[in-house]
Amino acid sequence: MRRQFLFIFLALIVANTSQAQTRSTRIGYIDMEYILENVSDYKEATAQLELKAQKWKQEIESKKLEINTLKENLKAEKALLTKELIDERETEIKFLETEMLDYQQKQFGADGNLIRHKTALAKPIQDQVFTAVQDIAEAKNYDFVFDKSADLTMLFSNKRFDISDQVIRVLNRTDKREQLTKKQLKEQEAKENIENAIDENPALKDRQKVLDDRKAAREKLIQDRKLEQEAKKKEYDDKRKAIAAEREARKNGTVSEPAKTDGTTAKPAETTEQKTTTAEPAPTSSKAEERQKLFEQRKKELEERKKKILEEREAAKKAKEAETQKTNTTNN
């Protein structure tokens, strides 16, 4: 297969020799496995398939454990069993082993459910990749685009001819097209054009990196200034609140007056409410109520204790009478 493909490739190169004299032949390649790993839909479906595969593996391990248990039991009881029973158990074990191997082949074989599910998951993505490759090849005049992960053996491949990232961007743009607004879509396309240009000319990568660094530094400077302004505004608000609180406190008479010239400090003026509170004696009704509640609680506890003692005595008396009656009956 590889020799046949190589022969076709050489034939195409020879056929395009005349065209190559006027312009250089453009060749690119993709890595299908890399693309599939970076497509979100395929990754999610693969994760779900992996959960199914784990469940199948657990079922196989359970069957193996059951078979091993039967073998151990037969080995331990073989000396006590007749030949017919031994043959019957060995037949059962062989049947379970065959059933387990068939199930394993059905799930993980060359044409098993795992392979078929993976193929079914990859097929729609591969179709989208082929469409994207054709669009990129037509737009950028590629003569050949190969799949690095296919049967073709590539002994060397320059990274600048790899268009896998371009294909991924096309697939992601197609998925997000319905979710983006026109403005966002234009920004996305402009960003992709820059990325594609960098892929075409690696020398632009350093220049773009410098531009990105400058942009990041400018955004950081703007953010720092914004944080500084917010901090100053907060400090100003705190000072204003403190001044307003101090004024309100002086208005209510809760702040001490400044010290007098003779060295003594003026006492804060007592409010009418404070004077009234000082003049009135402390109420004593609450203490009396607490004593009354305590007395009633103790009285209730004594009554319950007395009742319990009487019940215990009555029970002991009945038990003694029953024992006496039982003794008299035995003697008679």
Side-chain angles (χ1 to χ4, degrees), residues 95-133:
F95 173 78
L96 292 175
E97 286 179 337
T98 304
E99 187 181 39
M100 184 266 296
L101 292 174
D102 291 342
Y103 183 77
Q104 187 175 7
Q105 186 69 17
K106 177 183 176 183
Q107 305 298 349
F108 299 100
D111 193 26
N113 287 330
L114 183 62
I115 301 299
R116 288 193 288 106
H117 279 80
K118 281 186 176 180
T119 304
L121 291 176
K123 184 66 169 60
I125 309 298
Q126 288 174 342
D127 293 340
Q128 295 178 24
V129 170
F130 295 150
T131 303
V133 167

Side-chain angles (χ1 to χ4, degrees), residues 105-224:
Q105 186 69 17
K106 177 183 176 183
Q107 305 298 349
F108 299 100
D111 193 26
N113 287 330
L114 183 62
I115 301 299
R116 288 193 288 106
H117 279 80
K118 281 186 176 180
T119 304
L121 291 176
K123 184 66 169 60
I125 309 298
Q126 288 174 342
D127 293 340
Q128 295 178 24
V129 170
F130 295 150
T131 303
V133 167
Q134 290 177 359
D135 294 340
I136 293 171
E138 291 176 0
K140 299 187 177 182
N141 298 321
Y142 280 98
D143 295 294
F144 303 99
V145 178
F146 301 101
D147 183 5
K148 184 179 180 181
S149 61
D151 293 335
L152 177 64
T153 301
M154 299 180 70
L155 300 178
F156 173 76
S157 56
N158 196 319
K159 182 65 179 174
R160 69 190 183 94
F161 297 115
D162 187 359
I163 63 172
S164 299
D165 290 329
Q166 297 181 38
V167 173
I168 293 173
R169 286 196 289 270
V170 171
L171 296 178
N172 291 335
R173 183 178 62 191
T174 303
D175 292 338
K176 295 178 181 178
R177 185 177 295 275
E178 297 180 357
Q179 303 176 2
L180 298 177
T181 62
K182 291 182 179 181
K183 183 178 179 181
Q184 291 174 336
L185 189 59
K186 286 182 180 180
E187 293 176 353
Q188 184 71 19
E189 289 178 353
K191 182 179 178 182
E192 289 175 3
N193 290 333
I194 295 174
E195 291 174 346
N196 292 336
I198 292 174
D199 292 336
E200 294 277 335
N201 187 4
L204 295 175
K205 188 173 183 179
D206 295 334
R207 183 181 176 185
Q208 185 63 34
K209 187 175 184 300
V210 173
L211 293 175
D212 292 340
D213 292 341
R214 289 179 181 176
K215 183 179 179 181
R218 186 166 59 253
E219 290 177 352
K220 186 176 183 302
L221 181 61
I222 294 172
Q223 185 68 19
D224 292 341

